[in-house]
Amino acid sequence: MNEQLQPLKKQPRAGKAGRSGTQDDIVYAHIFEAILEQRLAPGTKLSEEALGEIFGVSRTIIRRALSRLAHEGVVLLRPNRGAVVASPSVEEARQVFMARRLVERAITELAVQHATAEQLAELRQMVNDERDSFSRGDRGAGIRLSGEFHLKLAEAAKNAPLISFQRSLVSQTSLIIAQYESGNRSHCSYDEHTQLIDAIEARDAVLAVNLMMHHMDHIDSKLNLDEESASDDLHAVFSHLLQTKKPGRPSVKL
Amino acid sequence: MNEQLQPLKKQPRAGKAGRSGTQDDIVYAHIFEAILEQRLAPGTKLSEEALGEIFGVSRTIIRRALSRLAHEGVVLLRPNRGAVVASPSVEEARQVFMARRLVERAITELAVQHATAEQLAELRQMVNDERDSFSRGDRGAGIRLSGEFHLKLAEAAKNAPLISFQRSLVSQTSLIIAQYESGNRSHCSYDEHTQLIDAIEARDAVLAVNLMMHHMDHIDSKLNLDEESASDDLHAVFSHLLQTKKPGRPSVKL
DNA sequence: ACAGTGCACATTGTACACAACCCGATGCGC
DNA sequence: GCGCATCGGGTTGTGTACAATGTGCACTGT
């Protein structure tokens, strides 16, 4: 049971989520990816000691990773009561999307002004990766890559505070998508991403912003954020109680 | 080294910077205030152990406070090389102000829609406090209260991500003002704040946004590029907190 | 004298031990 | 049976020891 993957020392490249070298980043990336791929349900408790054993590091490292995840809004840190995977309410989701519209509009306008040819090439490459992930059926990777596309676009805007904010918004958006998306469709059509790159490359600010706003509309429309989906919300909130690992207790004890 | 330490326990009201109860917040507030009042010059190294001795807490607490300050952009955390007070370049300042214009416009529009009478009353109270601080010549408190005004306004917008972003932007703006403002004038005229509240109370979105944008222009125009200097000595900077008794570990008076 | 190297010190990074706290269980009294 | 107080297990909060890293200085060889 206490199977700990080898004490990730200085392996230059850990798995597909292993980004740069430091331990915090590795733990952070793994937990983040697990949340996006819904291997960690919203509301799941994230025990420091358990995570420490799993990743072969001490609670200190876990704590930093959780703190960072909490800063980005994908984890909720309750004092003296541990961390849980965030389960954004419909209202919180609306606020995130409102903020994203604001930021994406500004980023698009700035990217039209400042994006270099190299950055545009990188963006096209990311769309390719994203398409591949979805075609492979790797939904979690697709969501993550789609988010990274928007983050890369923010970098083209050349405004550090906006990039930081966008990172937080994209993380929360990914969590919301993973939680609320009506399942059958890809959440972020890469065609729209391609068109957006074309408009930016053509330095057509008006078109680019319009495309981005429509893109936001599409993402929004694919979510069940309407009032009548309160049942879905409740189900998400109590999903950690309803998981029937063992047969025999059908109802939740109140 | 066992020194008589008086660990800052749960004293309800600390000094002028001592906000809510937890130790991190107290340390955070003190360092933040010291930076705003230019008792800590940009670039000053913030040694964990030195700060720990000054505040009578362990490096753990200091580290958390520094991490929080770093997340808000007021402190720069260099791996394996310690923390220093951030020294925003002119370019970084420009980016912060661009982002603030964006956010303040949105916040103003939302505040016009959502601000309650109670919130407006609180805002007026904050303007009064701000005016008092400047009339007392307490420039650091004035800058801080002016920032808190804008933060309170963000709360009226009822959008959690925007509030969080605004907190970061206001912190960095305060640092920029403390660093670059041409010295003798009040940096943030409270008259403009009052007019802004009036426009919001009248639910005049166009006027409110115009006032806010002019307010941003005024702040912007008051900055220059001179180099300011302040003390590098941590003990000197926080001397007003130290109980000058025995050698050893002096703890701060709260 | 200067540049490069190696050592010693100082500071940060990490792990761990203990304290504080929360939550659930058990038992008692009503 | 029900409610409440008390206790115990387990998790988080904090302090501290040790390891790893960076920095500055002295020393040496050219």
Side-chain angles (χ1 to χ4, degrees):
Chain A
M1 189 67 182
N2 289 341
E3 176 184 2
Q4 80 179 40
L5 27 114
Q6 60 222 22
L8 36 90
K9 272 297 179 180
K10 45 184 58 177
Q11 281 177 304
R13 283 284 179 184
K16 55 182 174 181
R19 287 277 179 276
S20 55
T22 75
Q23 290 179 333
D24 333 8
D25 292 335
I26 296 174
V27 173
Y28 163 84
H30 276 291
I31 298 177
F32 184 68
E33 183 180 307
I35 291 176
L36 288 202
E37 297 185 355
Q38 295 179 296
R39 299 197 307 269
L40 281 172
T44 304
K45 192 168 193 311
L46 299 172
S47 161
E48 295 179 0
E49 187 174 353
L51 289 170
E53 286 189 4
I54 289 171
F55 288 103
V57 297
S58 76
R59 284 173 48 211
T60 308
I61 309 297
I62 302 296
R63 183 177 281 265
R64 276 222 299 277
L66 290 178
S67 172
R68 186 171 159 196
L69 288 162
H71 269 307
E72 293 185 358
V74 294
V75 155
L76 181 63
L77 229 50
R78 305 165 304 175
N80 281 316
R81 296 187 55 206
V84 294
V85 179
S87 53
S89 66
V90 173
E91 173 59 23
E92 287 168 333
R94 282 214 185 86
Q95 293 181 5
V96 169
F97 273 88
M98 179 185 296
R100 264 204 82 167
R101 278 199 161 78
L102 185 74
V103 171
E104 293 283 8
R105 176 181 287 116
I107 283 176
T108 304
E109 291 173 348
L110 289 170
V112 167
Q113 298 175 30
H114 297 121
T116 66
E118 184 184 5
Q119 286 171 325
L120 290 168
E122 287 182 87
L123 284 169
R124 293 192 190 279
Q125 180 60 47
M126 299 188 76
V127 176
N128 286 337
D129 293 344
E130 183 190 348
R131 186 183 58 233
D132 290 346
S133 291
F134 279 117
S135 68
R136 282 201 320 271
D138 193 345
R139 181 167 174 269
I143 293 177
R144 196 180 69 246
L145 285 168
S146 169
E148 286 175 6
F149 170 86
H150 287 269
L151 204 52
K152 191 75 190 173
L153 198 62
E155 288 175 17
K158 294 196 173 21
N159 186 303
L162 276 186
I163 292 171
S164 171
F165 189 34
Q166 175 78 328
R167 177 171 293 116
S168 171
L169 289 176
V170 165
S171 299
Q172 292 183 72
T173 303
S174 298
L175 179 61
I176 291 165
I177 288 172
Q179 191 174 350
Y180 286 108
E181 190 188 39
S182 49
N184 48 358
R185 305 270 316 194
S186 68
H187 76 290
C188 207
S189 55
Y190 29 85
D191 283 346
E192 292 180 355
H193 285 178
T194 301
Q195 294 176 25
L196 189 58
I197 299 175
D198 292 340
I200 292 173
E201 192 162 30
R203 309 299 173 183
D204 188 339
V206 175
L207 176 59
V209 170
N210 275 334
L211 286 171
M212 178 61 88
M213 290 303 105
H214 284 116
H215 185 44
M216 291 291 112
D217 290 341
H218 287 165
I219 296 175
D220 213 339
S221 67
K222 286 175 186 167
L223 299 183
N224 297 321
L225 292 183
D226 295 334
E227 318 293 348
E228 69 266 18
S229 68
S231 59
D232 285 2
D233 194 12
L234 273 181
H235 184 276
V237 167
F238 296 113
S239 61
H240 62 295
L241 297 175
L242 298 174
Q243 284 178 352
T244 57
K245 292 177 180 178
K246 301 174 182 178
R249 180 180 279 189
S251 64
V252 175
K253 177 182 65 176
L254 295 179
Chain B
M1 37 185 185
N2 42 9
E3 298 80 2
Q4 49 103 15
L5 62 88
Q6 195 171 6
L8 32 92
K9 272 298 171 63
K10 49 182 63 175
Q11 286 174 288
R13 263 297 176 184
K16 54 182 174 180
R19 287 282 179 273
S20 55
T22 75
Q23 290 179 332
D24 334 9
D25 292 335
I26 296 174
V27 173
Y28 163 84
H30 275 295
I31 299 177
F32 185 67
E33 182 180 306
I35 292 176
L36 287 202
E37 298 187 353
Q38 294 178 293
R39 302 198 307 271
L40 279 171
T44 303
K45 192 168 191 310
L46 299 172
S47 161
E48 297 179 0
E49 188 175 353
L51 289 170
E53 287 189 4
I54 289 170
F55 288 102
V57 298
S58 75
R59 282 174 49 212
T60 307
I61 309 298
I62 302 295
R63 184 178 279 265
R64 275 220 301 276
L66 290 178
S67 172
R68 185 171 159 195
L69 288 162
H71 187 263
E72 291 186 359
V74 181
V75 154
L76 180 63
L77 228 50
R78 305 165 305 174
N80 281 316
R81 296 185 56 206
V84 295
V85 178
S87 53
S89 66
V90 175
E91 172 60 19
E92 288 168 330
R94 191 187 62 80
Q95 292 180 6
V96 169
F97 273 88
M98 180 185 296
R100 264 203 82 167
R101 278 198 162 78
L102 185 73
V103 171
E104 293 283 10
R105 177 180 288 116
I107 283 175
T108 304
E109 292 173 348
L110 288 171
V112 167
Q113 298 176 33
H114 297 122
T116 66
E118 184 185 5
Q119 284 171 326
L120 290 168
E122 286 182 88
L123 284 168
R124 293 193 190 279
Q125 180 58 48
M126 299 187 76
V127 176
N128 286 337
D129 293 344
E130 182 190 348
R131 185 184 58 233
D132 290 346
S133 291
F134 279 117
S135 68
R136 284 200 319 269
D138 192 345
R139 181 167 174 270
I143 293 176
R144 198 179 67 246
L145 285 168
S146 169
E148 287 175 5
F149 171 87
H150 287 269
L151 203 52
K152 192 75 189 173
L153 199 62
E155 288 174 16
K158 295 197 172 19
N159 186 301
L162 275 186
I163 293 171
S164 171
F165 189 33
Q166 175 78 328
R167 177 172 292 116
S168 171
L169 289 175
V170 164
S171 298
Q172 292 184 71
T173 303
S174 299
L175 178 62
I176 291 165
I177 289 172
Q179 192 174 353
Y180 288 111
E181 189 189 41
S182 48
N184 47 1
R185 306 245 314 268
S186 69
H187 76 292
C188 208
S189 54
Y190 29 84
D191 283 347
E192 294 180 355
H193 284 179
T194 301
Q195 294 175 25
L196 190 58
I197 299 175
D198 292 340
I200 291 173
E201 192 161 30
R203 309 298 174 184
D204 189 338
V206 175
L207 176 59
V209 169
N210 274 336
L211 286 171
M212 178 61 88
M213 290 302 105
H214 283 116
H215 185 44
M216 292 290 111
D217 290 340
H218 286 165
I219 295 175
D220 214 338
S221 66
K222 284 177 187 168
L223 299 182
N224 61 14
L225 306 181
D226 288 343
E227 288 291 326
E228 302 281 336
S229 71
S231 173
D232 269 356
D233 188 337
L234 288 178
H235 288 82
V237 167
F238 291 109
S239 60
H240 66 294
L241 299 174
L242 295 174
Q243 297 171 344
T244 57
K245 277 186 179 179
K246 304 172 182 177
R249 179 189 272 190
S251 57
V252 303
K253 70 169 192 284
L254 299 178

